[in-house]
């Protein structure tokens, strides 16, 4: 990765959140003079790569224009070493080892419900509007998702598995994804392909008949 962009990611990781002025100040301490225009250019590129979130506007406690606050996305945070995957994998293994299947399903449903609540996808309206919201949420969580029109309805694809590296022999996390997408869309899609089975993407078909019922 380009050095300045990596330094910006390092700054956002250390600070948690930062304005352009914060980043300029920190970069100047590292490498000398740099302009806010240059920093905004690099931030834009990092947003395109899904590593930095769109800025949040925050009002000042003193007079002046609101500030734009930048933070890392989950994908951006994943660029740094962490123990999340190991911890998540061990937790999942222990849950499945110590609880019967019906209890595991209750926990998974609870996780899905929490994610659906976080996503805030509208329960009504045109399916394409909901697809856009679903894709936005999935991309913010590392799925690299997109949707397109298909002869039979719509195809939703995710080309990255955010759970890659977590041992999941009975594909509990794959089932979690299916439940999550179903609940966010309000439509149960048909699984067409799966990364865990060697396909290039997880693909979900939303049939035209389901689309018509959702209006």
């Amino acid at each position: 990765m380009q050095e300045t962009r990596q330094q910006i990611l390092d700054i956002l990781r250390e600070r948690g959140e930062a304005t352009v002025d914060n980043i300029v100040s920190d970069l100047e301490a590292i490498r000398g003079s740099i302009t806010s225009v240059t920093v905004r250019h690099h931030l834009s590129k990092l947003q395109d790569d899904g590593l930095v979130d769109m800025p949040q506007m925050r009002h000042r406690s003193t007079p002046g224009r609101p500030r734009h606050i930048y933070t890392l996305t989950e994908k951006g945070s994943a660029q740094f070493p962490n123990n999340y995957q190991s911890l998540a994998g061990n937790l999942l293994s222990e849950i499945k080892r110590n609880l019967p299947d019906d209890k595991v399903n209750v926990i998974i449903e609870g996780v899905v419900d929490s994610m659906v609540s976080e996503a805030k996808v509208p329960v009504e309206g045109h399916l394409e509007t909901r697809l856009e919201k679903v894709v936005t949420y999935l991309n913010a969580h590392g799925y690299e998702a997109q949707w397109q029109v298909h002869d039979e309805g719509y195809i939703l694809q995710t080309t990255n598995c955010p759970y890659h590296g977590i041992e999941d022999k009975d594909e509990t996390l794959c089932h979690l994804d299916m439940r999550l997408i179903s609940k966010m869309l309000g439509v149960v899609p048909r699984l067409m392909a799966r990364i865990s089975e060697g396909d290039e993407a997880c693909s979900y078909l939303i049939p035209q008949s389901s689309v018509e019922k959702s209006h």
Side-chain angles (χ1 to χ4, degrees):
M1 179 182 292
Q2 204 268 1
E3 183 181 10
T4 303
R5 289 173 202 162
Q6 183 59 58
Q7 290 169 339
I8 290 173
L9 293 179
D10 292 341
I11 290 167
L12 290 175
R13 183 196 183 205
E14 184 174 344
R15 283 181 171 266
E17 58 181 37
T19 63
V20 169
D21 287 345
N22 293 148
I23 296 169
V24 168
S25 176
D26 287 358
L27 285 175
E28 286 180 337
I30 297 169
R31 49 172 290 166
S33 179
I34 188 169
T35 68
S36 59
V37 172
T38 300
V39 168
R40 287 191 176 92
H41 167 75
H42 287 302
L43 284 168
S44 178
K45 292 294 185 182
L46 290 168
Q47 288 167 0
D48 290 343
D49 291 340
L51 302 176
V52 171
D53 264 328
M54 294 300 293
Q56 300 296 312
M57 188 176 293
R58 185 172 300 170
H59 292 280
R60 299 173 184 269
S61 57
T62 56
R65 291 192 301 177
R67 299 175 299 165
H68 289 88
I69 305 296
Y70 293 85
T71 58
L72 295 175
T73 62
E74 289 198 11
K75 182 179 176 181
S77 296
Q79 303 297 306
F80 300 93
N82 61 65
N83 195 40
Y84 296 156
Q85 283 193 329
S86 176
L87 175 62
N90 288 331
L91 284 172
L92 182 62
S93 295
E94 286 301 305
I95 288 171
K96 291 192 289 188
R97 188 168 68 86
N98 288 283
L99 294 176
D101 290 345
D102 60 334
K103 296 295 185 182
V104 174
N105 284 333
V106 169
I107 292 173
I108 295 299
E109 284 295 335
V111 171
V112 169
D113 288 344
S114 295
M115 295 172 77
V116 171
S117 178
E118 179 187 19
K120 298 179 180 175
V121 176
V123 295
E124 297 180 352
H126 198 281
L127 186 62
E128 290 187 5
T129 302
R130 279 181 280 156
L131 276 166
E132 285 291 343
K133 293 285 187 180
V134 169
V135 164
T136 297
Y137 178 81
L138 293 176
N139 284 338
H141 291 76
Y143 285 84
E144 297 183 10
Q146 59 182 344
W147 67 270
Q148 61 190 39
V149 177
H150 186 270
D151 290 343
E152 298 181 42
Y154 296 94
I155 290 284
L156 173 65
Q157 275 194 334
T158 60
T159 56
N160 182 60
C161 177
Y163 312 118
H164 178 71
I166 297 178
E167 185 175 359
D168 183 25
K169 293 180 181 177
D170 58 3
E171 299 184 332
T172 301
L173 296 174
C174 291
H175 299 316
L176 180 151
D177 282 349
M178 174 62 87
R179 294 178 187 181
L180 173 63
I181 290 168
S182 298
K183 286 198 171 186
M184 287 195 293
L185 287 176
V187 172
V188 178
R190 188 165 80 233
L191 182 66
M192 305 289 288
R194 181 176 282 169
I195 293 172
S196 63
E197 294 179 354
D199 297 308
E200 292 183 358
C202 292
S203 298
Y204 306 87
L205 172 66
I206 300 95
Q208 185 64 37
S209 58
S210 298
V211 174
E212 291 168 354
K213 290 177 183 178
S214 70
H215 287 287

